[in-house]
Amino acid sequence: GLALALLATLWVLSWRQSRMYTDIERLYQTTIERNPRCWMAHNNLGLVLYNAGRVPDSVAQFDEALQLWPHFAPIQYNMANALRRLGQFPQAIPYFQESVRLCPGFIDAHYDLGITLAAVGRLNEAVAEYQEALRLCPEYPEAHYNLAIALCRLDRFSEGIGHFQEALRQRPDYPEAHYNLGVAFTATGRMDEAIVQYQEALRLNPQLADAHNNLGSALCQLGRFSQAVPHFQEALRLRPDYPQARKNLEMATQALRQGQ
């Protein structure tokens, strides 16, 4: 009778424990209840909450983890990403900076720091972070792409074009890179090359209204108005409230009427 009672008790305890750990969030919450100074549980619970879209709650957990273990680069990085997702870009920057100070070889932290610096207009610093990410990992098409964007925003188009091309060498099916390479070619007067890039962007993603509009504009600059009109029309179909495409369509239509 004693043995049966003991087995029944153990079964009840196991059943309760299995329910306690039915989901990963409860697991980490239970760990923290039993050991509030477990920085790893705070960090891991923060990641669970972040991935569930509960970003303010994740920030609170990352903050707890950092109070307990501030010298761990991944926690600094996780806090930075959560703040950035909340739109708090200036507040995220010091955490990204601390993550790369603690771990200089942290490639994604350099890259994400670059994105965040660019978002607040600190373009030269962003360029340096993208370059460091690429020094550590040259085969990183997204870093080449975002470095190219930053360089073009600084009017360093020839450098930017090179990085767009490198991004596309590594990842040919990258419609945004084709589109922005087209923008860079347009800015430097290389219209024939711009047209090729816009066309390739649209082959990969026909829903890019900006690519239709810019392709139409490039064709107009070469006097190819009849080819431009369908692209302005498609841009407006995709985005009816697109004033620049509407203006361009009127201009191209008028040019055709006048026999240009």
Side-chain angles (χ1 to χ4, degrees), residues 235-257:
L236 286 165
R237 187 190 68 80
L238 292 166
R239 197 194 305 170
D241 58 339
Y242 196 161
Q244 189 58 54
R246 191 167 302 282
K247 180 179 177 181
N248 288 339
L249 176 58
E250 292 169 359
M251 178 273 297
T253 304
Q254 184 178 7
L256 285 172
R257 285 172 184 160

Side-chain angles (χ1 to χ4, degrees), residues 139-182:
E139 297 293 310
Y140 197 159
E142 293 78 12
H144 281 289
Y145 171 78
N146 281 289
L147 173 55
I149 293 285
L151 289 166
C152 288
R153 287 177 65 187
L154 291 167
D155 294 328
R156 294 162 61 179
F157 289 103
S158 59
E159 295 171 78
I161 285 168
H163 284 286
F164 282 132
Q165 291 171 326
E166 182 59 20
L168 288 166
R169 184 192 68 78
Q170 295 177 15
R171 183 181 153 192
D173 59 338
Y174 199 161
E176 294 81 8
H178 283 290
Y179 167 73
N180 281 293
L181 178 54

Side-chain angles (χ1 to χ4, degrees), residues 175-219:
E176 294 81 8
H178 283 290
Y179 167 73
N180 281 293
L181 178 54
V183 172
F185 280 143
T186 298
T188 53
R190 297 162 65 175
M191 304 310 299
D192 288 318
E193 293 167 280
I195 286 169
V196 171
Q197 295 304 319
Y198 293 138
Q199 288 172 331
E200 185 62 14
L202 289 168
R203 184 187 70 80
L204 293 166
N205 183 0
Q207 305 302 308
L208 291 174
D210 286 333
H212 280 291
N213 180 64
N214 284 17
L215 174 54
S217 295
L219 290 165

Side-chain angles (χ1 to χ4, degrees), residues 41-90:
H42 283 291
N43 178 64
N44 291 352
L45 177 56
L47 287 170
V48 170
L49 295 168
Y50 178 90
N51 289 326
R54 295 163 57 187
V55 184
D57 293 334
S58 77
V59 167
Q61 292 302 319
F62 294 139
D63 186 58
E64 288 287 342
L66 287 171
Q67 297 299 320
L68 296 164
W69 196 254
H71 307 301
F72 191 47
I75 308 176
Q76 298 282 350
Y77 176 75
N78 292 339
M79 174 66 101
N81 271 323
L83 290 170
R84 186 177 64 177
R85 189 165 167 184
L86 291 171
Q88 299 178 26
F89 294 94

Side-chain angles (χ1 to χ4, degrees), residues 24-43:
I24 195 74
E25 179 182 345
R26 185 58 189 155
L27 167 65
Y28 292 129
Q29 287 173 337
T30 303
T31 303
I32 291 165
E33 288 166 8
R34 293 177 176 177
N35 181 7
R37 296 190 61 77
C38 182
W39 61 266
M40 187 179 295
H42 283 291
N43 178 64

Side-chain angles (χ1 to χ4, degrees), residues 11 221 259:
W11 181 85
Q221 290 193 46

